[in-house]
Amino acid sequence: MPLGFKSCCVAITALLSLFVAVALCNVFLVSPATLRHALSDGSVWPVVKVSLETSLLAACLAMLLGTPVAYVLARKTFFGKAAVETLLDLPVALPPMVAGLALLILVSPSSPTGSVLAKAGLHLIFTKAGIVLAQLFVALPFYIRAVRSAMFAIPPSLPAAAAVLRATEAYTFFHVILPLSREGMISGFVMCWTRALGEFGATAMVAGCIPGVTETLPIAIYTRATSGDLASAGAAAFCLAVISFVTLIGLRLAFKDTAQRRKA
Amino acid sequence: MITLDNICKRFGAREVLRDLSFSVASGEFAILFGPSGAGKTLLLAILAGLEKPTSGRVLIGGSDMTHVAPEKRPVTLVFQRHALFPHLSVFENIAFSLRARHTHRGVVRQRVGELIALAGLEEYAHAKPDVLSGGQCQRVAFARALASDAEVVLFDEPLSSLDQVAKAGLMSELKRLHRVKKFTALYVTHNLEEALALGRNLYLLDDGHVKRSAQTDQSQNCNIL
């Protein structure tokens, strides 16, 4: 690599890293006294609890529903597959507010689907279930993408070998496909969970902001910052950043051995 | 007995196999010899049920298996590049078929132990495939195929990626396994030396169909080639 080009790449990398570090410093470098005060008044912890509960439930549902979908998309050929793939990817490209509005119309009691859900006793507007729905809708494509790529990378000879060894498709799915897609499933789960944890627009549209019930960390940061309570907003932002940071470090550590094995 | 009856396979306008008919007798070790791209692997895939023929019938033991799923056929396949499950140990790879058929745990342990001993893999029972040599991997693949209790074992150029020493050792190993287990075998290769060394009954696949067949004699002269 010519020295000028190399120096240019290194300089850009350094500048970008500095920019991210300086921007995040404002979140992480909250004075301990301010943080202690904001956390001890008891208004942040319920928000953290709601956020963790709903985002983890959304990620678990994404894993449950997204794994068979990823399998079909990775390993089956059928008419209209490209259309289905585009449709399932759409929430990633869609502005969260648009996704939220679409969900709001879908589950509103005045809509046919909403009235059916209401009759079944499932109330999604201004409830935690609504938060989970919004987070799942927005974050599911991240899980499907990661697992689909992992399953697609499995050599076709392995499921073929399983078939000629008298294994049914279901047995092959659970004993060959899933274990070999483990890394994709873990990283997909984490990506999906962190996306759900940070979800704002769609959640606000469907579940609103009822303190202690539907107030999630991103919504709390927004409402508290816009109402001038920067200390409380900072504490909520600190919690969200710490959760994201710890998750990222955990993921890197989890895959460290695999990366080293591949290098070797 | 395996019988292929007027098998045709087309991919769009391209006809890879044309009116292909031939039979392999029960317990026979047959060699299907042909140049690269002749359709040998495709033929095995059709026999194993991994590919559907465009027309024609596949008969195994007198039953029409043309539309039977691979896991329901009494056929197994040893792949060119082993296709061992990388997340499973040697023991677990060999036990795969038995476990897939919900065989009792004790029986699995006994059968796999016997096959590991037969293939000379005792030292590597708990090793993962990524630490084995090419020859050892192929021995695991042979043992795994035998654990499936299939009447017919298909071999898709299983020795093509091995060096001459490993190849010679495995060829005699394979002959020994065939003598002991008495399965029906169809072995495809593009290597004439390997074909002559392994089997007495040779079939030549070229230009989409089996052209001629003959028996090689003990001095490995073959009058078809």
Side-chain angles (χ1 to χ4, degrees):
Chain A
M1 204 187 289
L3 191 62
F5 179 71
K6 190 179 171 182
S7 311
C8 192
C9 289
V10 170
I12 291 171
T13 309
L15 276 173
L16 268 179
S17 306
L18 191 68
F19 170 69
V20 173
V22 169
L24 289 180
C25 264
N26 295 320
V27 177
F28 282 109
L29 298 180
V30 188
S31 82
T34 314
L35 189 65
R36 205 179 307 121
H37 178 257
L39 291 176
S40 62
D41 78 352
S43 67
V44 174
W45 294 118
V47 178
V48 173
K49 187 170 171 275
V50 169
S51 271
L52 286 178
E53 274 173 3
T54 54
S55 59
L56 279 171
L57 185 58
C60 289
L61 283 173
M63 193 176 222
L64 200 66
L65 302 172
T67 306
V69 174
Y71 174 67
V72 168
L73 295 179
R75 310 210 67 91
K76 303 283 171 191
T77 312
F78 56 90
F79 177 73
K81 185 176 169 182
V84 173
E85 281 177 328
T86 310
L87 194 67
L88 290 172
D89 270 345
L90 204 57
V92 174
L94 216 57
M97 284 297 191
V98 177
L101 184 64
L103 286 175
L104 189 63
I105 294 167
L106 185 78
V107 300
S108 132
S110 56
S111 75
T113 42
S115 63
V116 170
L117 290 171
K119 274 177 197 161
L122 195 58
H123 302 284
L124 295 166
I125 295 179
F126 302 129
T127 62
K128 276 187 190 171
I131 302 177
V132 175
L133 177 73
Q135 290 176 339
L136 180 66
F137 186 79
V138 173
L140 182 62
F142 288 91
Y143 180 80
I144 293 176
R145 275 183 175 193
V147 180
R148 183 179 58 190
S149 301
M151 288 180 173
F152 190 75
I154 297 172
S157 62
L158 295 182
V164 297
L165 291 167
R166 315 242 192 136
T168 60
E169 189 172 359
Y171 189 90
T172 305
F173 177 75
F174 287 109
H175 293 86
V176 177
I177 304 291
L178 284 191
L180 293 176
S181 310
R182 195 179 66 96
E183 281 179 31
M185 288 172 75
I186 294 171
S187 62
F189 181 88
V190 172
M191 275 195 284
C192 176
W193 176 47
T194 48
R195 178 66 188 85
L197 193 65
E199 216 303 300
F200 174 74
T203 310
M205 292 288 280
V206 177
C209 170
I210 305 168
V213 182
T214 64
E215 193 183 25
T216 60
L217 278 167
I219 293 173
I221 294 165
Y222 177 75
T223 53
R224 287 164 200 208
T226 49
S227 64
D229 186 2
L230 286 180
S232 185
F238 180 80
C239 291
L240 192 57
V242 166
I243 294 168
S244 304
F245 187 70
V246 168
T247 308
L248 199 65
I249 297 285
L251 193 66
R252 287 189 78 92
L253 286 176
F255 290 140
K256 196 179 162 193
D257 285 350
T258 316
Q260 279 174 345
R261 217 171 35 238
R262 275 193 192 144
K263 253 185 191 174
Chain B
M1 183 169 181
I2 318 168
T3 304
L4 291 168
D5 181 21
N6 283 313
I7 293 287
C8 287
K9 180 68 183 178
R10 277 187 218 99
F11 292 101
R14 200 165 72 93
E15 195 170 45
V16 184
L17 301 176
R18 277 187 289 137
D19 295 329
L20 189 145
S21 297
F22 84 104
S23 297
V24 179
S26 192
E28 181 185 337
F29 198 115
I31 309 290
L32 186 66
F33 173 75
S36 296
K40 304 185 295 295
T41 298
L42 177 63
L43 184 66
L44 292 189
I46 288 172
L47 266 168
L50 299 170
E51 281 282 349
K52 293 266 176 284
T54 310
S55 63
R57 293 189 310 154
V58 176
L59 302 162
I60 298 164
S63 309
D64 190 345
M65 296 270 167
T66 317
H67 301 292
V68 174
E71 68 269 18
K72 293 189 177 135
R73 296 186 183 203
V75 175
T76 193
L77 174 63
V78 176
F79 290 78
Q80 189 171 8
R81 292 186 184 277
H82 333 301
L84 297 181
F85 304 118
H87 59 298
L88 301 180
S89 67
V90 166
F91 183 97
E92 289 164 329
N93 261 285
I94 298 171
F96 185 87
S97 174
L98 294 161
R99 286 176 175 164
R101 287 176 284 146
H102 310 291
T103 309
H104 187 271
R105 195 180 291 181
V107 178
V108 171
R109 210 177 303 126
Q110 189 201 333
R111 287 282 321 275
V112 176
E114 284 168 11
L115 286 165
I116 282 179
L118 193 67
L121 291 161
E122 293 93 333
E123 277 180 65
Y124 304 99
H126 301 291
K128 291 275 171 71
D130 59 357
V131 299
L132 303 180
S133 69
Q136 287 165 338
C137 280
Q138 210 50 280
R139 270 157 46 199
V140 179
F142 292 165
R144 187 178 70 168
L146 295 179
S148 72
D149 296 317
E151 294 160 28
V152 179
V153 184
L154 310 172
F155 296 91
D156 185 9
E157 308 205 35
L159 310 180
S160 61
S161 60
L162 304 180
D163 58 63
Q164 287 303 321
V165 178
K167 202 181 268 191
L170 273 170
M171 278 198 281
S172 56
E173 187 94 353
L174 194 52
K175 281 180 181 172
R176 186 174 66 84
L177 288 173
H178 181 246
R179 264 198 314 275
V180 175
K181 294 288 177 184
K182 296 183 173 42
F183 49 85
T184 306
L186 179 60
Y187 186 104
V188 310
T189 182
H190 66 270
N191 184 321
L192 181 59
E193 198 185 328
E194 199 176 305
L196 293 171
L198 268 170
R200 293 192 67 237
N201 300 327
L202 249 72
Y203 298 86
L204 174 65
L205 178 67
D206 194 21
D207 199 22
H209 48 234
V210 175
K211 280 187 170 167
R212 281 181 290 181
S213 65
Q215 289 200 330
T216 57
D217 60 24
Q218 289 302 311
S219 62
Q220 295 186 341
N221 289 319
C222 179
N223 60 12
I224 65 163
L225 301 161

